[in-house]
Amino acid sequence: QVQLVESGGGLVQAGGSLRLSCAASGRTFSKYSMGWFRQAPGKEREFVAVISWSAGNIHYADSVKDRFTISRDNAKNTVYLQMNSLKPEDTAVYYCAAGGWGQQPHWYDYWGQGTQVTVSS
């Protein structure tokens, strides 16, 4: 069982940066791939990025490539999402997820409660 808690969201102007963190409980964190998803009002949850347990395999959605960076620290049971050059269309609730792979939310076993990111124009 893995419990996930996101933090780091907030209000930022377009062009700014935020770093999201996702702290995981459980001694098996290092065995899980970890993903970030987001959901804007009235839209479906969409894939943002995923990182393998060793950080040797990373994938990004085209919409965030070259602006966002996913990383993890297995010693701290934490995964990060560094978001640069933020745009108003990045506004959403951001969720971290564990135990899956790929771009489909239903492939992941565990979810956090989400953290709001709002980008003003």
Side-chain angles (χ1 to χ4, degrees):
Q1 189 78 9
V2 176
Q3 293 184 329
L4 306 172
V5 179
E6 301 96 334
S7 61
L11 174 64
V12 64
Q13 289 187 330
S17 298
L18 282 174
R19 188 176 81 153
L20 305 183
S21 299
C22 174
S25 64
R27 293 175 291 179
T28 58
F29 170 80
S30 62
K31 297 181 181 180
Y32 289 97
S33 58
M34 299 293 297
W36 284 98
F37 288 75
R38 65 187 182 186
Q39 189 166 17
K43 295 188 177 181
E44 293 186 351
R45 193 167 298 190
E46 66 171 359
F47 169 78
V48 174
V50 63
I51 186 168
S52 64
W53 67 273
S54 67
N57 202 355
I58 293 173
H59 294 282
Y60 296 97
D62 287 343
S63 59
V64 306
K65 201 172 294 183
D66 299 326
R67 298 189 299 123
F68 291 11
T69 302
I70 189 171
S71 62
R72 66 189 296 161
D73 185 338
N74 287 342
K76 295 183 178 180
N77 279 11
T78 302
V79 63
Y80 304 99
L81 186 69
Q82 177 66 44
M83 306 186 295
N84 299 329
S85 302
L86 282 161
K87 305 175 181 179
E89 51 264 44
D90 294 319
T91 295
V93 177
Y94 283 69
Y95 298 90
C96 70
W101 189 257
Q103 301 189 15
Q104 299 301 319
H106 65 265
W107 290 344
Y108 291 76
D109 297 323
Y110 305 103
W111 290 87
Q113 83 291 346
T115 185
Q116 176 71 47
V117 171
T118 303
V119 184
S120 63
S121 57

